[in-house]
Amino acid sequence: MLRILEKDYANALFEAYKGYKPGTQGDGNFDSVVLRAVSDILHTHPATGIPQLGSDQKSNSVSKPATATAANLQSLFTGAATPSYNVILLGEAHNSQADIARANGLLAALATHPATLTASMAVFERGMSYKTPSSDVIASVFEEVVVKPDNVPVSTPATCPRGLSAFCAGLTASQRSMAVAGYMAACAGAGPQGGKANFLVFFGANHQDILTFFEKFVTQCGVPHMRKLQRNYTFVNSNV
């Protein structure tokens, strides 16, 4: 896994988007735009230290109740194979005090010394105001930065206090899921491949499709070894 600079991915995504010809229904073929961006990033930042692997593997998907604790989630990361890709998505209702308290508790667990919850990266939906651990504890990534290319005019909708590019503002909910999943897939497949890539994702429950799109981009990006690693996906329900 390698922490890809958000702007590098956003630039690759925007370059692919320039040639985008949407389909006539729903989100068109935006997934092909993201897939091209992921492939371009992995060409620029190829995998290293690829272990000897066998045949392709099927992914594993489970759901957990809203009451899942840091210890519960840590056991999922700890129990995963080495190497592997592991994504836990916390379904959030932004007006739920229980969900907010849960998220803050998990962030505190990440920041303890020693940490009682360990992850390679924490990913946050745009507009969230959680106090994230320092960068020496965990890499924190924000949706609005992942989709903000260089030299694109920036608007600042009230819902996005960090600033949101005009490019991002035009994406649908599922296209936003695709864009974020693509960034995670690019990070997972780049750099050293001998360990675990563990993602903890804080997103609205309606973005559970991030898990589906991550699997799609990992298995279809043209990098054969990514299909051979164990891939585990967990959706933690909202309290609402």
Side-chain angles (χ1 to χ4, degrees):
M1 178 175 173
L2 179 68
R3 167 72 180 273
I4 302 295
L5 290 178
E6 291 96 318
K7 71 179 184 66
D8 288 349
Y9 171 79
N11 288 341
L13 186 63
F14 192 55
E15 283 300 312
Y17 185 78
K18 288 178 180 178
Y20 175 49
K21 296 181 180 180
T24 57
Q25 295 181 348
D27 295 304
N29 59 346
F30 188 76
D31 54 346
S32 67
V33 173
V34 179
L35 192 57
R36 175 184 161 187
V38 173
S39 298
D40 289 346
I41 288 291
L42 293 179
H43 179 74
T44 305
H45 302 281
T48 61
I50 300 173
Q52 186 173 355
L53 300 166
S55 57
D56 290 357
Q57 294 200 35
K58 292 183 177 179
S59 63
N60 306 298
S61 298
V62 298
S63 292
K64 294 293 182 181
T67 53
T69 65
N72 297 147
L73 302 186
Q74 180 62 23
S75 68
L76 296 174
F77 285 147
T78 303
T82 303
S84 60
Y85 303 136
N86 310 290
V87 184
I88 298 176
L89 192 150
L90 283 300
E92 298 241 343
H94 302 318
N95 60 350
S96 167
Q97 293 304 310
D99 285 354
I100 293 170
R102 180 183 67 187
N104 284 324
L106 295 176
L107 292 171
L110 288 168
T112 58
H113 297 283
T116 54
L117 176 60
T118 57
S120 310
M121 181 179 291
V123 183
F124 297 88
E125 185 175 3
R126 68 190 192 189
M128 285 185 171
S129 57
Y130 292 137
K131 183 177 180 181
T132 59
S134 62
S135 57
D136 63 334
V137 172
I138 190 172
S140 295
V141 172
F142 304 93
E143 176 195 354
E144 57 268 42
V145 183
V146 166
V147 293
K148 193 171 86 62
D150 293 336
N151 303 317
V152 173
V154 174
S155 61
T156 53
T159 55
C160 301
R162 294 176 185 272
L164 182 66
S165 72
F167 165 57
C168 172
L171 299 182
T172 67
S174 61
Q175 288 172 336
R176 288 170 50 207
S177 295
M178 295 178 203
V180 170
Y183 175 76
M184 293 162 50
C187 290
Q193 297 294 293
K196 299 178 184 180
N198 295 337
F199 297 90
L200 194 62
V201 184
F202 298 82
F203 254 78
N206 62 312
H207 288 280
Q208 184 178 354
D209 54 354
I210 286 175
L211 302 175
T212 303
F213 288 127
F214 180 90
E215 170 70 4
K216 179 183 182 70
F217 300 140
V218 162
T219 57
Q220 297 183 20
C221 66
V223 181
H225 83 269
M226 297 183 76
R227 297 193 301 269
K228 300 179 186 295
L229 268 64
Q230 186 183 101
R231 303 180 303 283
N232 304 303
Y233 306 123
T234 303
F235 176 72
V236 181
N237 286 279
S238 167
N239 284 279
V240 176

